[in-house]
């Protein structure tokens, strides 16, 4: 075994123990107080320079080799989800109504173990490794606040990497893709304002519910008739509320949902076109409306050269046969903000097994045997970029 594999094997018990410890203490976005304290203490125990309180609960640590070279940033997210765990694990959540159902506990454990391995390899490296533990990936997003507080500078980051455990990929495999991998995710909310009245006298009313259903149907036609059919895009109305009695015509109707696309040009046209469609229907039917558009995360686009770095690292770790082409997903990820500014790659670490539950499910868990593959892939990518001559 080479030095990286030897060190990863040596630290695998730490990796599993750390993952389980973090799994027990899930915390929601920007409330990761115990989690951040745990992470910071581990990093300080490694002798790293640690900064806490970045974007409220974020933690940043630096491994400086003392030799000139690039700066590589590795990122893990820390927040959990507001759901009650039902995995039956011995190390299940001790925080009621909160669970690491998206694998962020594993991401942190992988990055902490990567830091341990790279600290042991310091003499082989040049440049700097920056370890970023980010709050609030789920919502409202911690990447942009961390960027605003200078995480990509002092020193300036040259390359960045992140990963996500992925139950849809076989355990121990790595899925990588150049270019678009995850979609932009924006939100919208609409309120139709009509005139309520008795259900037996619709001619005296302006039926907000009926107008709302027209608007929902028309908005779907933006996708089916106004977007290039070879360009992936979706508009989902996930909430619709109107009315309160069987014999009363609703005065207001509210609905909302999400928009997803990989294309920045399509994304730039969403809001104006939606306002035009909703406004036109309301004008025709005698209603007014309120419209709210909330910008979400941008599309996550991997740099081709950095994707190749991960492919090589993963192949050396798991074998070429276990390096897959990742299938793009309409899910969103705020790692996208870093990748807008710095060449990098976000990849999927397979943790799937027969009967595995999807992420964001109260029964979600991972095959822990796959986690060392994430550590080794990170370490090999860093060594390729920071190897001394």
């Amino acid at each position: 075994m080479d030095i990286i594999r030897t060190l990863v094997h040596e630290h695998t018990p730490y990796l599993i123990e750390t993952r389980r410890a973090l799994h027990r203490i899930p915390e929601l976005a920007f409330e990761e107080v115990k989690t951040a304290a745990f992470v910071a203490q581990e990093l300080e125990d490694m002798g790293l320079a640690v900064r806490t309180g970045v974007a409220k609960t974020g933690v940043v640590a630096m491994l400086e080799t003392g030799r000139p070279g690039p700066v590589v940033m590795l990122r893990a997210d820390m927040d959990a989800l507001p759901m009650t765990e039902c995995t039956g694990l011995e190390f299940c959540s001790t925080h009621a109504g909160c669970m690491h159902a998206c694998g962020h506990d594993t991401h942190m454990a992988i990055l902490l173990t990567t830091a341990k391995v790279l600290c042991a390899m310091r003499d082989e490296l040049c440049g700097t490794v920056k370890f970023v533990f980010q709050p609030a990936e789920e919502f409202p997003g911690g990447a942009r606040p961390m960027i605003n507080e200078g995480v990509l500078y002092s020193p300036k980051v040259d390359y960045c990497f992140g990963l996500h455990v992925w139950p849809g990929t076989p355990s121990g495999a790595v899925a990588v893709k150049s270019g678009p991998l995850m979609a932009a995710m924006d939100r919208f909310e609409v309120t139709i304002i009509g005139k309520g009245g008795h259900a037996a006298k619709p001619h005296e009313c302006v039926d907000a519910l009926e107008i709302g259903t027209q608007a929902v149907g028309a908005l779907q036609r933006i996708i089916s008739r106004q977007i290039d059919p070879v360009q992936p895009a979706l508009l989902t109305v996930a909430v619709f509320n109107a009315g309160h009695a069987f014999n009363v015509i609703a005065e207001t109707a509210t609905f909302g949902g999400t928009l997803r696309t990989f294309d920045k040009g399509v994304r730039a046209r969403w809001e104006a076109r939606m306002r035009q469609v909703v406004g036109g229907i309301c004008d025709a039917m005698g209603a007014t409306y309120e419209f709210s558009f909330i910008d979400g995360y941008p599309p996550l686009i991997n740099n081709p050269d950095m994707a190749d770095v991960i492919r090589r690292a993963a192949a050396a770790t798991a074998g070429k046969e276990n390096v897959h082409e990742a299938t793009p997903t309409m899910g969103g990820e705020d790692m996208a903000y870093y990748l807008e500014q710095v060449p990098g790659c976000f990849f999927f670490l397979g943790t799937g097994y027969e009967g595995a539950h999807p992420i964001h499910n109260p029964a979600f868990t991972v095959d822990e045997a796959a986690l060392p593959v994430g550590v080794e892939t990170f370490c090999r990518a860093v060594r390729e970029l920071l190897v001394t001559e």
Side-chain angles (χ1 to χ4, degrees):
M1 290 191 290
D2 65 10
I3 182 63
I4 290 179
R5 184 153 302 169
T6 298
L7 288 168
V8 171
H9 180 75
E10 176 184 331
H11 291 301
T12 293
Y14 170 83
L15 168 63
I16 303 304
E17 178 184 348
T18 300
R19 181 261 166 151
R20 294 181 178 185
L22 288 164
H23 190 86
R24 292 186 181 99
I25 56 168
E27 296 170 295
L28 300 180
F30 293 121
E31 298 176 6
E32 307 95 338
V33 176
K34 290 182 181 178
T35 302
F38 180 101
V39 166
Q41 187 61 61
E42 293 297 310
L43 294 166
E44 288 171 0
D45 289 347
M46 297 176 205
L48 297 174
V50 179
R51 180 184 169 200
T52 60
V54 184
K56 192 172 182 179
T57 51
V59 180
V60 179
M62 305 270 282
L63 170 58
E64 297 177 294
T65 66
R67 290 174 288 278
V71 177
V72 177
M73 185 183 102
L74 303 177
R75 173 268 201 174
D77 35 16
M78 300 193 297
D79 55 323
L81 288 162
M83 59 176 59
T84 298
E85 181 168 354
C86 61
T87 60
L89 295 169
E90 293 182 2
F91 51 91
C92 68
S93 169
T94 59
H95 293 175
C98 195
M99 176 193 174
H100 271 301
C102 199
H104 297 184
D105 54 332
T106 64
H107 302 167
M108 290 183 283
I110 286 170
L111 190 52
L112 285 169
T113 309
T114 298
K116 270 189 171 292
V117 172
L118 292 177
C119 283
M121 295 173 53
R122 186 193 304 255
D123 291 344
E124 293 190 19
L125 306 174
C126 63
T128 301
V129 185
K130 187 178 289 191
F131 303 99
V132 172
F133 293 82
Q134 177 207 301
E137 186 280 323
E138 296 294 347
F139 187 79
R144 188 155 57 177
M146 292 199 83
I147 291 170
N148 291 341
E149 294 194 21
V151 73
L152 295 179
Y153 294 91
S154 301
K156 184 179 182 298
V157 173
D158 295 296
Y159 312 107
C160 65
F161 299 101
L163 62 75
H164 203 300
V165 291
W166 211 245
T169 297
S171 183
V174 172
V176 191
K177 183 184 181 301
S178 300
L181 177 65
M182 303 185 77
M185 44 174 285
D186 299 316
R187 298 171 59 198
F188 64 91
E189 297 176 358
V190 178
T191 298
I192 307 294
I193 305 164
K195 178 182 178 184
H198 200 289
K201 298 182 177 182
H203 58 291
E204 296 180 358
C205 306
V206 177
D207 188 344
L209 189 157
E210 197 276 333
I211 296 167
T213 62
Q214 287 190 51
V216 169
L219 288 172
Q220 296 295 343
R221 294 184 187 94
I222 295 176
I223 302 295
S224 65
R225 287 296 177 267
Q226 298 177 28
I227 303 295
D228 186 338
V230 301
Q231 174 63 56
L234 67 81
L235 184 157
T236 295
V237 175
V239 177
F240 193 111
N241 294 295
H244 60 274
F246 81 96
N247 60 349
V248 178
I249 287 177
E251 183 160 338
T252 63
T254 61
F255 63 89
T258 185
L259 301 139
R260 307 291 172 109
T261 182
F262 299 109
D263 187 89
K264 293 181 179 180
V266 170
R267 188 185 187 207
R269 297 193 297 272
W270 283 135
E271 182 176 359
R273 188 67 187 112
M274 291 179 73
R275 286 182 181 275
Q276 185 180 25
V277 168
V278 174
I281 291 170
C282 287
D283 286 346
M285 302 303 292
T288 58
Y289 73 98
E290 296 174 353
F291 186 97
S292 176
F293 190 89
I294 303 98
D295 287 327
Y297 307 158
L300 187 150
I301 301 173
N302 284 328
N303 176 275
D305 292 337
M306 294 302 103
D308 285 342
V309 170
I310 293 297
R311 287 189 185 96
R312 289 190 290 270
T317 298
K320 289 183 179 180
E321 69 280 8
N322 289 313
V323 180
H324 301 176
E325 181 71 8
T327 301
T329 171
M330 285 303 210
E333 218 325 320
D334 77 344
M335 178 78 183
Y337 287 113
Y338 304 119
L339 295 176
E340 281 188 320
Q341 300 193 36
V342 177
C345 179
F346 190 75
F347 62 97
F348 297 147
L349 171 62
T351 55
Y353 55 90
E354 187 174 352
H357 291 84
I359 58 174
H360 291 222
N361 182 292
F364 170 75
T365 188
V366 302
D367 178 7
E368 290 181 328
L371 304 186
V373 174
V375 177
E376 189 170 332
T377 300
F378 267 160
C379 291
R380 291 188 185 281
V382 170
R383 184 170 66 175
E384 177 175 333
L385 294 168
L386 300 187
V387 67
T388 54
E389 296 296 337

